[in-house]
Amino acid sequence: MEMDRPDGRSPNQLRPLACSRSVLHRAHGSATWAQGETKVLAAVYGPKAGTKKNENPEKASIEIIWKPNTGHIGQADREHEMILKKTFESICIRTIYPNTTTSIVVQVVHDDGALLPCAINAACAALVDAGIPLRHLAVAICCSVTDNNCIILDPSKQEEEKAKAFAYLVFPNTTVSVVPEKSLQAGSDPMAHGIITSVTHGAMSVDDYLHCLERGRATTQRLSEFLRKNMEPKSTREASKAG
Amino acid sequence: MSVPNATEDLSSEVEVDAFRRLFPVRYFERHLSESIRPDGRPLKEARDTSIFLGSVASANGSALVKIGSTTMLTAIKLEVMTPSLETPDEGCLAIDFHMPAICSPIVRPGRPAEAEPVVSKQLSDTISSSGMIDLKELSLVSGKAAWMAYLDIYCLDADGALFDTALLSAVAALSHVKIPAVAMNDDGKIVLMSDEDGKKQANEQVNKEKRKLTLKSIPLSLTCILHKSYILADPTAEEESIIETHVTIVLDTHGQLVSLYKPGGPVLAYTSAIQDCVALTRQRVKELKSFLDEANSAMEVE
């Protein structure tokens, strides 16, 4: 089904991605992530000593501070904080530094659709920049279902508002490892097919949701490659320029 | 983690309560291997649900819902207001979820619980996404007067599955709410019609009699927790604190997926797990719809 998107993209095409690491000098790790016009800046401070009152002192705790681009902090921001906290708690290896707190500050620079996935990608890049031990990386994507039941990826704000429903999905990064494929599987699905987080908006049929999952999975390969390329240390690139 | 052998030896000597507090995951897993949960329920069964409509007499609509021990009280108050310029013939619905200190020892007065803004936002998103309420029904006089419905949900006892109970109680209250009869008086203001009807001829009747809202498709939900390869439906607070992966699925009565909410968690959800959870939710939605219909018909008889 041909789908005319206002910016001329095909249904499966993502907006141009841009990621820069170590943008802030005082933070232990930082990154900006831009998907088209949506841009988010994430900074990581930690691990710092001590945990908050209700947290388990036997594990490292993750604290998220979400800063919207305009206005006071409202319910939506608290919800985003909780979603990010739970997502990153499952990614970070929390048994390594017990009784510490790692703070991730997420600042929304510009919101043009797919804000939560952009923030998750930025925070993940910032965690890598800070050197926090992670079990695996996370890639996040937004899929939306339009009125004529077409599934489009990475919608802009306009497309999100017109869509019947949309889903933010977070998948674990496809791992590149020396371990044989079989050991990474759980049952019949490879590890990269499970979702870490899913937040949906609007009503869609269950089949539409399952199609969104499939499309999302197929795209995580591209996002993972982009993320890994960005993770390469800057020094090797500079060394190759010198040499 | 202690060596497995040491715990096995300890478990035969340590008292059950102590074992439950010290090794909650192992206590739980011992039950799971027998396909049962600490409170005796089978894995896929939800707790007993009861709905009481009209518990708050002074409100326009109210419902008290209990799922197991989790109790939520919803009250709806309607107030007349001027609609906004962008939507002159639509009313407004404001949903607020409160967790007062009575509901749980973790919640202290003065400091809102962590779950509060999250459940509140989830509820407003779900009710607006499902398209259950047509805001045009809340309009009185286009451009001049419309109803503002304040939906307040109070958690009286927090024992797991907060979102499910809150959604059910909001939906039950909305199905019970009666819009009062009002008339517009000479000053152009909307006043409540009293039973006397003395000045009826002078007033323009805007809303002749008490009417209920038409609900298009009712969203109902089920929260499941995932642990290794087990899926458990309707967790209690103790289970929610041990197992960190929760999935909340909201389906409406037409079978559409209104929300699939999985906020992180160590267990990844594969397609098979999602399909199992959706099937459990479908069953539960049928059950809940029948409870709701029963409660509504009981009210009408009165």
Side-chain angles (χ1 to χ4, degrees), chain A residues 54-55 59 75-76 78-79 82-83 85-87 89-90 94 135-136 164 172 186 189-191 193-206 209-210 213 217, chain B residues 95-96 106 111 114 117-118 120-122 124-125 128-130 244 246 251-252 255-272 274-275 278 282:
Chain A
N54 288 332
E55 300 280 344
K59 292 190 169 169
Q75 282 176 356
R78 294 261 172 256
E79 198 203 6
M82 201 222 47
I83 296 173
K85 180 172 148 90
K86 290 209 148 174
T87 307
E89 272 179 359
S90 61
R94 295 170 66 200
R135 205 166 278 140
H136 50 73
K164 187 169 76 165
D189 299 306
M191 191 183 90
H193 283 193
I195 46 169
I196 304 177
T197 297
S198 152
V199 180
T200 66
H201 218 273
M204 58 175 124
S205 72
V206 179
Y209 180 77
L210 294 173
L213 278 186
R217 277 183 202 131
Chain B
I95 304 176
D96 220 350
I106 311 176
R111 216 165 162 226
E114 266 179 34
V118 176
S120 194
K121 172 107 192 326
Q122 259 187 290
S124 353
D125 279 348
S128 60
S129 295
S130 67
E244 290 167 28
H246 311 154
L251 290 173
D252 69 12
Q256 294 271 311
L257 180 76
V258 176
S259 163
L260 196 149
Y261 192 76
K262 177 185 189 286
V267 177
L268 302 174
Y270 297 95
T271 316
S272 49
I274 295 179
Q275 282 170 331
V278 172
R282 264 195 243 272

Side-chain angles (χ1 to χ4, degrees), chain A residues 117 141-145 155 165-169 198-201 204 209 212:
Chain A
I141 189 131
C142 175
C143 304
S144 69
V145 181
F166 55 85
Y168 297 138
L169 302 166
S198 152
V199 180
T200 66
H201 218 273
M204 58 175 124
Y209 180 77
C212 282

Side-chain angles (χ1 to χ4, degrees), chain B:
Chain B
M1 253 340 257
S2 47
V3 176
N5 278 334
T7 347
E8 292 305 320
D9 294 332
L10 265 179
S11 64
S12 52
E13 297 163 7
V14 170
E15 229 184 21
V16 174
D17 268 334
F19 189 68
R20 189 177 192 163
R21 294 274 187 278
L22 291 171
F23 309 108
V25 186
R26 281 186 198 277
Y27 176 81
F28 203 60
E29 282 177 353
R30 286 275 277 268
H31 286 81
L32 287 181
S33 58
E34 312 283 331
S35 293
I36 203 160
R37 292 150 87 163
D39 55 4
R41 280 188 285 159
L43 301 186
K44 317 257 172 164
E45 196 181 283
R47 292 171 286 180
D48 290 330
T49 311
S50 42
I51 305 178
F52 306 103
L53 294 176
S55 14
V56 180
S58 58
N60 299 101
S62 61
L64 176 70
V65 171
K66 282 174 78 94
I67 295 187
S69 305
T70 307
T71 315
M72 299 268 172
L73 175 64
T74 305
I76 303 186
K77 275 296 245 183
L78 294 168
E79 209 178 62
V80 183
M81 56 132 198
T82 23
S84 73
L85 291 166
E86 296 129 32
T87 51
D89 51 1
E90 277 183 8
C92 197
L93 183 64
I95 304 176
D96 220 350
F97 176 71
H98 306 268
M99 280 183 75
I102 196 175
C103 70
S104 156
I106 311 176
V107 179
R108 295 315 308 149
R111 216 165 162 226
E114 266 179 34
E116 211 180 284
V118 176
V119 175
S120 194
K121 172 107 192 326
Q122 259 187 290
L123 278 169
S124 353
D125 279 348
T126 305
I127 292 185
S128 60
S129 295
S130 67
M132 176 172 71
I133 303 276
D134 183 5
L135 293 174
K136 294 197 170 44
E137 282 196 1
L138 292 174
S139 166
L140 283 167
V141 177
S142 175
K144 293 206 192 123
W147 288 114
M148 171 86 173
Y150 292 104
L151 213 113
D152 289 298
I153 306 170
Y154 287 88
C155 179
L156 300 176
D157 197 347
D159 191 24
L162 295 178
F163 177 72
D164 293 345
T165 324
L167 182 63
L168 182 59
S169 97
V171 162
L174 283 166
S175 68
H176 173 250
V177 73
K178 290 200 174 65
I179 302 182
V182 288
M184 186 140 84
N185 68 6
D186 301 321
D187 298 329
K189 284 206 180 144
I190 303 277
V191 289
L192 280 170
M193 261 168 60
S194 53
D195 291 326
E196 286 115 48
D197 293 340
K199 300 181 190 152
K200 204 163 89 171
Q201 292 87 355
N203 295 350
E204 226 179 273
Q205 282 180 32
V206 177
N207 192 16
K208 293 229 171 98
E209 53 179 16
K210 286 192 161 194
R211 61 181 168 96
K212 284 189 154 187
L213 289 173
T214 43
L215 303 178
K216 278 184 248 173
S217 61
I218 302 179
L220 294 163
S221 74
L222 179 67
T223 302
C224 301
I225 45 178
L226 307 177
H227 181 68
K228 296 188 183 163
S229 55
Y230 298 106
I231 299 176
L232 288 82
D234 194 22
T236 61
E238 192 194 344
E239 290 167 355
E240 273 185 356
S241 62
I242 306 170
I243 296 176
E244 290 167 28
T245 314
H246 311 154
V247 182
T248 303
I249 301 185
V250 183
L251 290 173
D252 69 12
T253 39
H254 297 311
Q256 294 271 311
L257 180 76
V258 176
S259 163
L260 196 149
Y261 192 76
K262 177 185 189 286
V267 177
L268 302 174
Y270 297 95
T271 316
S272 49
I274 295 179
Q275 282 170 331
D276 287 339
C277 291
V278 172
L280 283 173
T281 313
R282 264 195 243 272
Q283 245 182 329
R284 179 74 173 151
V285 166
K286 279 197 210 130
E287 227 179 52
L288 289 176
K289 183 80 176 48
S290 67
F291 286 141
L292 204 56
D293 289 335
E294 248 180 69
N296 267 312
S297 51
M299 281 304 293
E300 269 164 41
V301 166
E302 285 166 35

Side-chain angles (χ1 to χ4, degrees), chain A residues 193-239:
Chain A
H193 283 193
I195 46 169
I196 304 177
T197 297
S198 152
V199 180
T200 66
H201 218 273
M204 58 175 124
S205 72
V206 179
D207 289 323
D208 280 338
Y209 180 77
L210 294 173
H211 288 151
C212 282
L213 278 186
E214 275 169 34
R215 291 283 196 90
R217 277 183 202 131
T219 330
T220 51
Q221 182 72 20
R222 275 186 274 161
L223 275 173
S224 301
E225 277 169 17
F226 177 78
L227 193 61
R228 281 190 182 273
K229 237 181 165 178
N230 254 283
M231 294 308 158
E232 275 166 26
K234 292 188 183 139
S235 51
T236 52
R237 279 185 259 145
E238 281 161 9

Side-chain angles (χ1 to χ4, degrees), chain A residues 177-198:
Chain A
S177 72
V178 291
V179 179
E181 270 287 312
K182 290 261 170 60
S183 62
L184 288 173
Q185 283 182 5
S188 54
D189 299 306
M191 191 183 90
H193 283 193
I195 46 169
I196 304 177
T197 297
S198 152

Side-chain angles (χ1 to χ4, degrees), chain A residues 135-153:
Chain A
R135 205 166 278 140
H136 50 73
L137 299 174
V139 279
I141 189 131
C142 175
C143 304
S144 69
V145 181
T146 58
D147 289 325
N148 45 353
N149 287 331
C150 219
I151 297 181
I152 52 175
L153 293 178

